[in-house]
Amino acid sequence: MDTITQQEWAFGGFLEGSSPMTGFIFIAALLLGAAGIAWMSYRHTLHALPALQRHSLFVLRTIFCLLLLLCLANPIRTERKLTEPSGPGPLAVLVDHSHSMTRTDNRGRSRMDEAKRTWHTIRQDAEAAFSKLHFHGFAEKISPMKDWESATSAGSGDDKTHLFNALDEILNSAPAGGYGAILCITDGIDTSQISANQSIPRFGESRTPLYFISGNNRSRPENFLTIRESRAPDQIRKNSDFNHHAVIEAFSTQAQEVPMELWQGDKLLARETLNLQQGHNVVPWSTRVTAHTPGDMMLELRLAWNKETPRIARHHVKVVEETEFNILYYQGALNWGFRYVSNVVKRDPGFRLTAVFNPAAGVKISSGAESNSMDDLPATASALAPFNLVILENVFANQLSKAQQQALSDYVKSGGGVLFLLPENEAAQAFSGQAIEEMLPVVFAPPQSRQYRDMQAERFQHMMMQEGGSSSHAEQLFALGDENTPRLESLVEFAFPDEKPRLNLFTVTDAPDKIITPAFSSYALVKSVKPAADVLAIHPTARDESTGQPHVLLAVQPYGDGRSGVLTTDPLWRWRMSLPSDSRDAEIFWQQLFHWLGKSTESTLRFTRSPVEATKSQSVSLQIAAPENASPRLTAKSAAGETEVALTPAGEPNRWTADWKAAHTGLWELQLTAEGHAPATAFISILEEQTSPDLADLPTATDLLKTLASSTGGELIGTAPPRSWREETREPEVISETRTLLWNSWPWLMAILGTFSAELLLRRKWKLL
């Protein structure tokens, strides 16, 4: 560790931030002005002064002005303790050996060939600049390599490129002290659907420079369009909505429009035009579908790419009528919400409620509609699996352990539904920055200081004591956040973003023209809404001060295979009390919301992974889930006949995998059957043309590589090595810094006071006062 001591000047006022030279020029000008005034004042006095007296007074006045100006210049002695300069750590060399790098052009040259030529020109500089070179190869997965030769020859044309995942894994598996830098040899194409905008800031935070060597050849892009992903639930309850998702990927040499339609048999459900821009396009698309009556729904997504090769994706959705709907209701702090919601549930014999209260509340319910009870919220997704919906009301994040939060997240990913009732700011703010916030459709404002919250709770508890209340822990939980909840003088009705509600949550089956409009009396604030969220209800008048957007009351979003929702208002019990006694609007709204968010718990056969399109020469990887003790059988059917596909047990219980290669092109139907269970169906279009899933015909993403490199302090390497590699040592880091004001000391102040006093004494002695 080295210690460096330096003297600095910190000029204030309008000179703040100026260089020392500018400051001293200004001080010199002031000093000359002060000296000139002093000389003139002692030259023209009331009576003539001897030369000795005049010169002595002039010198003392000038020294005083100089000391005063130097004091105002704020001299500071800075002492810095620095780390010992050290050489750079190892260099991680990451080689992309996917299809786009190894495919040859009309000259028989690949992008890897050009990248190799660049590497050979800088290899000696890399070996001299870094302590060691670690080689890795990647395409879909990353693996360590012995040396450069093995890293560049390991590729066999893998059809997937996960560039961002490979960089993440390299950073996470870095040795102690980290890598000195990462050199990635790639064309910048990534097929993992990870957003570059999300990855760039994360790589910048790692403080590990990224360098790139790009490969280029004469491969010419050709027009293509593929349905990369098409998803719909295998099973849905009647009179409920679901989203049909699709991701369309295309390359177009010119801008064009592609018609897209979603059909159910001969009924058109949705129509849209895809506006493809020139170049590479990845277009997500989603539409909402309503399942009315039990039965089979056959959905078909059609894209009119061209007459010879239209793109089609089919889905078979089973609409069921469940007789029992299990709800797990967890309440963190006592209020009227549970009793009101449980009364709504009682009015529908299909609902079954399990009540759980935070253990600190000391409350258990085990009768009536809430015929089951638990000691606490389960900490595993398997324990939550029997429930169609989990409702969490007035819950604080510190009441949920990490295991409970992870269980909720895994439960929703696997198809579950979670509804958060957060009518108070404090309960909402408690989830800011928590892991569970990731699955929710909104971002919460950060919590207020502990001191502020304690003052609120103490004030409310004191008021309760004065009214004769107790000081039990349940009352303390009830008190938290009460003063921080926006209060309204009267009930306010929901408003809708599009003037009319988009879902049948707010309509009555028997009267479709009637709109149910809930009303509330208090609500909590959220910071923002996530891009994938769907805002279903908003405040009619209140707006966010920073964005000008209306406050969110009800928002939902898909998360994995399930859904999560947040209701920021009170549980609407005051609205129910304001309605006529014979009105069923409140219970209809709640029951429809529960059914829409919840999942089907019927154990069924299903495909957990099945591509939409493949080529004749491509081996299709399938993943299957089946009920316990079932013996599934997989059959592939086409117009030419059917064949049985072998299933292999996977590592997880009740999971199977299959690798299948189609015998010919066309639309294939894969049917999964098991005795005693309803069959599951998937459709795959087998294409003749050799499409390249890793986009081998696309040009090198040079701009992306430059952006990634510059965000981390690296660069895209050309014909010469980076200049930073030629530096033998790194800059030392500052461990600590101590700043001492030099003018704030007795000698300095005594010198100023002494010169001023000496001048006054001499003037008095010489009778000049």
Side-chain angles (χ1 to χ4, degrees):
M1 182 174 61
D2 292 339
T3 301
I4 298 178
T5 302
Q6 295 178 330
Q7 183 169 316
E8 301 174 351
W9 303 85
F11 301 103
F14 66 91
L15 291 176
E16 184 175 357
S18 302
S19 63
M21 181 61 69
T22 303
F24 282 120
I25 290 175
F26 184 75
I27 289 176
L30 289 179
L31 183 61
L32 288 175
I37 294 173
W39 176 260
M40 294 299 296
S41 64
Y42 288 118
R43 183 176 181 183
H44 302 285
T45 56
L46 295 178
H47 59 272
L49 294 176
L52 177 61
Q53 295 179 4
R54 186 167 62 250
H55 292 161
S56 299
L57 293 173
F58 166 72
V59 170
L60 287 172
R61 177 63 60 86
T62 303
I63 293 174
F64 172 76
C65 292
L66 176 61
L67 292 174
L68 190 60
L69 289 173
L70 291 176
C71 182
L72 294 175
N74 198 11
I76 298 174
R77 182 174 65 247
T78 304
E79 183 179 280
R80 296 184 178 92
K81 294 182 179 180
L82 310 176
T83 58
E84 294 287 349
S86 59
L91 174 68
V93 181
L94 194 59
V95 182
D96 178 359
H97 52 65
S98 64
H99 188 70
S100 60
M101 287 291 289
T102 57
R103 182 181 180 183
T104 58
D105 59 14
N106 58 337
R107 303 172 302 165
R109 296 188 62 82
S110 67
R111 295 174 179 178
M112 182 67 74
D113 294 331
E114 181 173 342
K116 287 180 179 179
R117 190 165 57 248
T118 304
W119 164 254
H120 289 311
T121 63
I122 67 165
R123 180 170 187 169
Q124 292 184 350
D125 296 275
E127 293 174 344
F130 297 92
S131 59
K132 191 176 181 180
L133 270 58
H134 295 188
F135 293 94
H136 296 78
F138 80 95
E140 182 179 7
K141 297 181 179 179
I142 186 173
S143 57
M145 296 293 171
K146 181 180 178 181
D147 50 26
W148 165 258
E149 286 71 22
S150 60
T152 54
S153 61
S156 58
D158 200 332
D159 62 355
K160 295 181 181 179
T161 311
H162 291 182
L163 171 62
F164 299 135
N165 285 338
L167 291 172
D168 268 332
E169 191 168 337
I170 281 290
L171 289 170
N172 294 334
S173 61
Y179 284 112
I182 296 176
L183 172 63
C184 186
I185 297 169
T186 181
D187 53 10
I189 294 174
D190 184 278
T191 64
S192 63
Q193 300 187 40
I194 296 177
S195 170
N197 294 331
Q198 296 176 354
S199 300
I200 290 174
R202 185 171 67 254
F203 294 142
E205 293 172 359
S206 69
R207 298 186 179 181
T208 301
L210 295 180
Y211 297 91
F212 292 95
I213 294 177
S214 63
N216 291 279
N217 61 358
R218 294 182 181 177
S219 220
R220 298 179 59 186
E222 298 179 359
N223 285 355
F224 77 88
L225 181 144
T226 182
I227 304 176
R228 177 188 284 188
E229 181 181 335
S230 180
R231 290 190 294 114
D234 297 323
Q235 184 171 289
I236 195 73
R237 284 181 305 279
K238 70 171 185 177
N239 296 326
S240 60
D241 295 343
F242 64 90
N243 285 328
H244 182 284
H245 299 277
V247 177
I248 315 301
E249 185 172 354
F251 182 83
S252 180
T253 56
Q254 60 184 2
Q256 60 177 308
E257 296 180 347
V258 177
M260 180 171 62
E261 298 175 342
L262 181 65
W263 291 79
Q264 179 188 351
D266 57 357
K267 179 182 178 182
L268 178 64
L269 300 181
R271 174 181 288 150
E272 190 169 333
T273 300
L274 292 181
N275 295 309
L276 299 182
Q277 304 299 318
Q278 184 179 14
H280 181 222
N281 297 262
V282 176
V283 184
W285 180 78
S286 178
T287 188
R288 187 167 283 111
V289 180
T290 302
H292 292 290
T293 58
D296 295 329
M297 292 182 66
M298 187 63 70
L299 302 179
E300 186 171 282
L301 180 65
R302 305 172 185 173
L303 282 86
W305 176 242
N306 54 54
K307 294 182 179 179
E308 292 76 19
T309 57
R311 293 294 187 260
I312 298 176
R314 288 182 180 175
H315 280 286
H316 175 260
V317 180
K318 183 180 180 182
V319 184
V320 298
E321 183 173 6
E322 282 193 319
T323 58
E324 186 174 282
F325 191 91
N326 294 303
I327 298 176
L328 176 61
Y329 194 104
Y330 181 84
Q331 189 172 58
L334 300 178
N335 61 21
W336 293 105
F338 167 73
R339 182 53 60 190
Y340 165 64
V341 174
S342 66
N343 287 335
V344 171
V345 170
K346 287 179 182 179
R347 293 183 175 91
D348 188 331
F351 285 108
R352 187 176 180 85
L353 185 68
T354 298
V356 183
F357 290 84
N358 180 264
V363 177
K364 287 189 177 181
I365 299 292
S366 58
S367 63
E370 51 287 317
S371 57
N372 295 329
S373 64
M374 294 181 177
D375 294 332
D376 200 355
L377 190 70
T380 61
S382 59
L384 295 172
F387 296 99
N388 301 80
L389 179 67
V390 177
I391 301 175
L392 297 101
E393 190 215 348
N394 213 21
V395 178
F396 290 82
N398 58 10
Q399 295 173 340
L400 302 179
S401 66
K402 290 184 178 180
Q404 289 171 322
Q405 294 192 34
Q406 186 61 48
L408 287 169
S409 178
D410 294 340
Y411 164 73
V412 178
K413 283 182 180 179
S414 62
V418 170
L419 175 62
F420 274 72
L421 305 180
L422 296 171
E424 299 176 352
N425 277 343
E426 182 137 357
Q429 292 167 358
F431 287 96
S432 176
Q434 298 289 323
I436 202 170
E437 187 184 34
E438 180 182 348
M439 77 173 184
L440 300 179
V442 296
V443 177
F444 298 108
Q448 295 171 330
S449 67
R450 178 65 179 272
Q451 180 181 5
Y452 179 77
R453 290 190 284 116
D454 288 346
M455 289 173 59
Q456 285 183 314
E458 289 176 4
R459 180 171 56 182
F460 188 76
Q461 292 163 15
H462 180 68
M463 293 171 60
M464 293 173 65
M465 291 290 291
Q466 289 181 332
E467 295 296 329
S470 67
S471 57
S472 67
H473 188 68
E475 287 184 345
Q476 294 176 16
L477 290 174
F478 177 75
L480 287 175
D482 187 84
E483 293 294 324
N484 198 31
T485 303
R487 301 294 181 182
L488 305 175
E489 295 181 357
S490 58
L491 292 177
V492 177
E493 292 186 341
F494 281 20
F496 305 106
D498 300 329
E499 295 185 358
K500 290 185 178 181
R502 294 194 296 270
L503 297 181
N504 59 6
L505 301 178
F506 304 95
T507 59
V508 181
T509 305
D510 299 335
D513 294 334
K514 177 183 177 181
I515 296 177
I516 297 175
T517 307
F520 61 97
S521 61
S522 63
Y523 68 101
L525 306 178
V526 299
K527 182 179 179 181
S528 60
V529 179
K530 294 182 180 178
D534 194 0
V535 178
L536 304 181
I538 57 176
H539 197 289
T541 57
R543 296 291 185 271
D544 185 274
E545 295 181 357
S546 58
T547 64
Q549 297 297 317
H551 289 305
V552 176
L553 302 181
L554 177 61
V556 297
Q557 80 164 4
Y559 185 72
D561 293 331
R563 287 175 179 157
S564 65
V566 170
L567 179 67
T568 64
T569 71
D570 57 76
L572 309 178
W573 61 273
R574 293 181 179 86
W575 169 51
R576 175 64 187 91
M577 294 179 63
S578 69
L579 297 174
S581 59
D582 59 345
S583 174
R584 297 186 63 248
D585 287 0
E587 61 186 82
I588 290 174
F589 165 74
W590 280 111
Q591 291 169 4
Q592 292 183 159
L593 177 61
F594 294 163
H595 276 296
W596 187 79
L597 274 176
K599 69 166 184 174
S600 171
T601 55
E602 182 179 340
S603 184
T604 60
L605 295 166
R606 68 183 188 276
F607 290 89
T608 58
R609 178 181 179 184
S610 174
V612 179
E613 296 180 344
T615 61
K616 181 180 177 181
S617 59
Q618 182 181 356
S619 178
V620 178
S621 178
L622 304 169
Q623 295 180 4
I624 293 159
E628 189 175 358
N629 300 324
S631 299
R633 178 174 177 265
L634 180 61
T635 304
K637 301 179 180 180
S638 69
E642 65 178 61
T643 58
E644 187 168 349
V645 181
L647 293 175
T648 303
E652 301 179 49
N654 306 318
R655 294 291 189 273
W656 282 263
T657 61
D659 290 322
W660 169 72
K661 184 178 289 187
H664 55 80
T665 59
L667 183 65
W668 285 76
E669 177 184 341
L670 301 179
Q671 189 171 74
L672 186 64
T673 58
E675 186 177 353
H677 298 277
T681 305
F683 296 90
I684 301 180
S685 295
I686 302 300
L687 309 176
E688 182 67 45
E689 65 267 23
Q690 296 295 318
T691 59
S692 176
D694 80 330
L695 316 178
D697 288 330
L698 294 186
T700 301
T702 306
D703 292 339
L704 171 63
L705 298 181
K706 287 181 179 179
T707 303
L708 277 170
S710 61
S711 67
T712 62
E715 62 180 86
L716 179 62
I717 299 175
T719 57
R723 181 177 300 177
S724 59
W725 288 15
R726 302 173 188 174
E727 300 176 0
E728 296 182 357
T729 61
R730 294 179 176 178
E731 291 293 329
E733 296 183 1
V734 178
I735 298 177
S736 63
E737 180 180 277
T738 304
R739 297 166 67 88
T740 305
L741 298 175
L742 296 180
W743 61 268
N744 190 15
S745 61
W746 282 108
W748 191 289
L749 297 176
M750 290 301 294
I752 296 176
L753 183 61
T755 54
F756 185 73
S757 300
E759 182 186 354
L760 290 178
L761 292 174
L762 289 176
R763 291 175 64 187
R764 184 175 183 82
K765 179 181 179 181
W766 293 329
K767 300 180 180 180
L768 297 177
L769 293 177

